Amino acid sequence: QVQLVESGGGSVQAGGSLRLSCDASRYTYSSKCMGWFRQAPGKEREGVARIYPGDSTTGYADSVKGRFTISQDNAKNTVYLQMNSLKPEDTAMYYCAAGMPYACIGRMSGERFGDWGQGTQVTVSS
């Protein structure tokens, strides 16, 4: 069974930074589209960033472009989300997800990702 384990969440003041990690070492993640999603209370789930480890192609939501960076460490089968210049509106539970390669094409939709981690909370105070 696929297992994704997130870590790195926490509380930070606006303007600060956090780096989230997603341990995908339980399977061959290079054949998957890896994504980060977030969901705040009362809001819909939002796709934040995605990466296709096979060729390192990345994509971002407009709301995080220029502030967040998704990357991978193939040796560790780990995907990272570096979050800089954090804003209070970035407060949410962040989830790592894995999907078939086509999930990295077109609109980033949670329905295209079949495996999910348990989530890690990010709280940004003003």
Side-chain angles (χ1 to χ4, degrees):
Q1 184 176 355
V2 170
Q3 184 173 0
L4 301 170
V5 181
E6 303 100 332
S7 61
S11 297
V12 65
Q13 289 190 330
S17 298
L18 285 172
R19 189 177 79 158
L20 306 183
S21 299
C22 174
D23 180 358
S25 59
R26 295 295 184 100
Y27 65 107
T28 307
Y29 91 127
S30 60
S31 63
K32 299 281 189 178
C33 176
M34 301 298 297
W36 285 97
F37 290 78
R38 66 186 181 186
Q39 188 165 23
K43 294 188 177 181
E44 293 187 355
R45 182 175 58 194
E46 176 188 19
V48 175
R50 64 189 180 190
I51 186 168
Y52 183 59
D55 61 9
S56 299
T57 302
T58 59
Y60 298 91
D62 289 342
S63 58
V64 305
K65 279 182 181 176
R67 301 188 298 122
F68 290 12
T69 302
I70 189 170
S71 63
Q72 63 197 45
D73 184 333
N74 291 339
K76 296 181 179 179
N77 270 23
T78 300
V79 176
Y80 302 98
L81 184 67
Q82 178 67 43
M83 305 185 294
N84 298 328
S85 301
L86 283 162
K87 305 175 181 180
E89 51 263 43
D90 294 317
T91 295
M93 186 71 80
Y94 283 71
Y95 298 91
C96 177
M100 297 302 289
Y102 66 81
C104 273
I105 300 172
R107 185 175 66 89
M108 189 173 178
S109 169
E111 287 71 24
R112 293 182 164 191
F113 291 79
D115 300 305
W116 295 80
Q118 82 287 353
T120 185
Q121 178 68 38
V122 171
T123 302
V124 184
S125 58
S126 58

